[in-house]
Amino acid sequence: MANSESPLIVAFGEMLIDFVPDTAGVSLAESTGFLKAPGGAPANVACAITKLGGKSAFVGKVGDDEFGHMLINILKKNGVNAEGVCVDTHARTALAFVTLRKDGEREFMFYRNPSADMLLKDSELNMPLIKQAKIFHYGSISLISEPCRSAHMAAMKAAKEAGIMLSYDPNVRLPLWPSADAAREGIKSIWNQADFIKVSDDEVHFLTQGDAEKEDVVLSLWHDNLKLLVITDGEKGCRYYTKKFKGKVTGFSVKAVDTTGAGDAFVGSFLLSMAKDMSIFEDETKLKEALSFSNACGAICTTQKGAIPALPTQSAALELISKSKSK
């Protein structure tokens, strides 16, 4: 269970229901049945942290419907503090239909018009909870429309002023933005605020419109307030850049069935390492160790369907690391 001594990490944003086809490799139209899986990147991150023995809270909004109440219960069951979750009596909880291609990669179709998460107002923010955090983590979906965007900005500002570390995983979901340009502009609008940013290689390509393999392309995303920039390269592992050093950490080879939540498992585990020991930005050995552990967490998450049910425990991640070392 959550360790009371562990520093609090607050994740802000959306929580929704993913409907995942019960058969991989078929289109939405061809699917005969769907499994309902709780999702939403920031909520997945909050659950990833508690599953590894850390302490987290989720701040967001769900609808006053069966799905919304189910999601709040899932947070609580996973040991996540849900005091910052609001319920909207007029709007529904967001839904997403996710198709799994044969390689485990995904395509999304969203039902949000508008959904409860988009209607979170800054007056509804649980500021005392946010201010208790050591790290405040968020994505970019909460920036797409008002009033949620203003709530996001207010929460981020309060955290920054309280000296809380800001963590950003943009989690690009193009279908939710009015256009690709609007997505790039919106995602970059808060870029320079973050202390830590994690982006996937695909997102580097999308944001820069350049080759994500090239260092100068990646470094065009660097800014002076950053302590660490991490690029995840799927099963290949990740690359890291700090003010003083850079490098890469190899990933783990597993049989992927569903990549949903892998990035969130990676981020959650890394935020936990970071919250416990901030010297990680100065100490390359510690950083590489933490990133390797995060790679293992991301890899394990792909071996099972859904995000939250597939989140790994510490012992599962350590087992994968030691198995890989003995090969």
Side-chain angles (χ1 to χ4, degrees), residues 28 75-76 96 99 187 204-205 266-267 272 296 314:
L28 285 178
L75 287 173
K76 289 179 177 168
T99 46
I187 288 164
V204 171
H205 173 65
F266 178 96
V267 169
L272 183 55
Q314 188 166 1

Side-chain angles (χ1 to χ4, degrees), residues 15 43 46-47 58 71-80 82 85:
M15 188 173 194
C47 291
F58 174 71
L71 291 175
I72 292 172
N73 284 334
I74 283 166
L75 287 173
K76 289 179 177 168
K77 234 187 273 176
N78 280 276
V80 175
V85 182

